[in-house]
């Protein structure tokens, strides 16, 4: 199998979220709007935001809290008028492998043979658009200065997918998330 040239991103323990590009600016990450703040952590136009680092996953205040408030390996999360797809990670490094329509959590692409992979936790997901952004759930999607190494843009054909998870070990341990068109 030919290995792709993929972009590895460091999520540093934070969950990645896959958002339709049209919802990107609606995702506020770990930021809270605070118009009266004299020294905001982030300014987007006239809006001022502060970082909320007193995490409360039982009573979420931020989008980041909502993304962390479950123990599912992958799940849908309401964002404005649509949904994002959140993934749990155990290793900081993750990449989108477009040829396989797969997220790889680990530090390298695996040597896959279909019979070697035990896919679990199937979940249906409807891709309503073709342009998506995979990013760290901490980030504010509207941040004009977002680190280009903290996200990747990807294209998917709109339609129904089954999202599945697998643990896979070759020379390394990997957590895989496959987006299988149905």
């Amino acid at each position: 199998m030919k290995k792709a040239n993929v972009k590895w991103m460091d999520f540093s323990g934070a969950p990645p979220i896959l958002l339709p590009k049209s919802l990107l600016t609606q995702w506020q990450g770990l930021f809270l709007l605070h118009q009266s703040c004299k020294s905001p952590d982030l300014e987007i136009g006239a809006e001022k935001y502060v970082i909320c680092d007193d995490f409360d996953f039982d009573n979420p205040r931020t989008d980041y809290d909502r993304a962390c408030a479950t123990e599912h390996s992958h799940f849908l999360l309401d964002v404005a008028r649509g949904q994002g797809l959140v993934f749990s990670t155990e290793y900081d490094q993750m990449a989108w492998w477009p040829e396989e329509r797969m997220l790889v959590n680990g530090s390298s692409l695996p040597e896959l043979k279909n019979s070697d992979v035990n896919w679990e936790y199937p979940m249906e997901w409807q891709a309503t658009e073709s342009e998506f952004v995979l990013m760290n759930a901490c980030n504010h999607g509207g941040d004009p200065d977002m680190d280009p190494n903290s996200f990747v843009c990807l294209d998917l054909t709109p339609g129904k997918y089954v999202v599945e998870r697998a643990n896979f070990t070759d020379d390394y341990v990997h957590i895989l998330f496959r987006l299988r068109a149905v």
Side-chain angles (χ1 to χ4, degrees):
M1 177 181 303
K2 182 181 176 208
K3 291 293 187 162
N5 185 17
V6 300
K7 176 181 175 181
W8 289 94
M9 297 163 286
D10 185 351
F11 286 93
S12 296
I17 184 165
L18 181 64
L19 287 169
K21 199 170 184 181
S22 66
L23 296 179
L24 188 59
T25 59
Q26 302 300 309
W27 184 261
Q28 295 183 3
L30 51 70
F31 294 88
L32 291 174
L33 190 61
H34 196 288
Q35 291 296 71
S36 62
C37 181
K38 300 267 189 254
S39 55
D41 296 303
L42 175 64
E43 291 185 66
I44 302 173
E47 294 182 329
K48 297 177 181 181
Y49 295 88
V50 294
I51 292 174
C52 177
D53 58 5
D54 58 340
F55 307 121
D56 186 348
F57 305 137
D58 293 326
N59 302 293
R61 293 180 54 203
T62 66
D63 287 340
Y64 176 75
D65 286 348
R66 293 186 315 120
C68 294
T70 185
E71 294 187 19
H72 296 290
S73 67
H74 51 285
F75 61 96
L76 294 172
L77 185 64
D78 291 338
V79 179
R81 65 188 182 286
Q83 292 183 314
L85 185 54
V86 180
F87 301 91
S88 66
T89 60
E90 292 182 29
Y91 313 108
D92 291 342
Q93 298 294 316
M94 182 171 266
W96 170 246
W97 189 0
E99 292 83 2
E100 297 293 325
R101 272 198 314 257
M102 188 180 301
L103 290 168
V104 178
N105 185 214
S107 58
S108 66
L109 295 180
E111 293 290 337
L112 290 180
K113 296 178 189 143
N114 285 336
S115 61
D116 293 341
V117 182
N118 181 27
W119 295 103
E120 300 177 299
Y121 312 113
M123 178 191 81
E124 285 193 5
W125 172 64
Q126 183 73 34
T128 57
E129 301 178 20
S130 60
E131 294 180 315
F132 290 84
V133 175
L134 178 70
M135 64 182 235
N136 188 315
C138 290
N139 294 341
H140 191 300
D143 184 353
D145 299 320
M146 191 183 325
D147 179 356
N149 292 318
S150 68
F151 70 92
V152 66
C153 297
L154 54 113
D155 295 319
L156 293 170
T157 302
K160 190 181 288 186
Y161 290 83
V162 172
V163 182
E164 301 166 299
R165 180 186 194 272
N167 291 328
F168 182 80
T169 303
D170 49 18
D171 291 338
Y172 302 94
V173 176
H174 308 277
I175 298 170
L176 310 173
F177 295 96
R178 173 174 72 172
L179 282 64
R180 181 172 48 88
V182 289

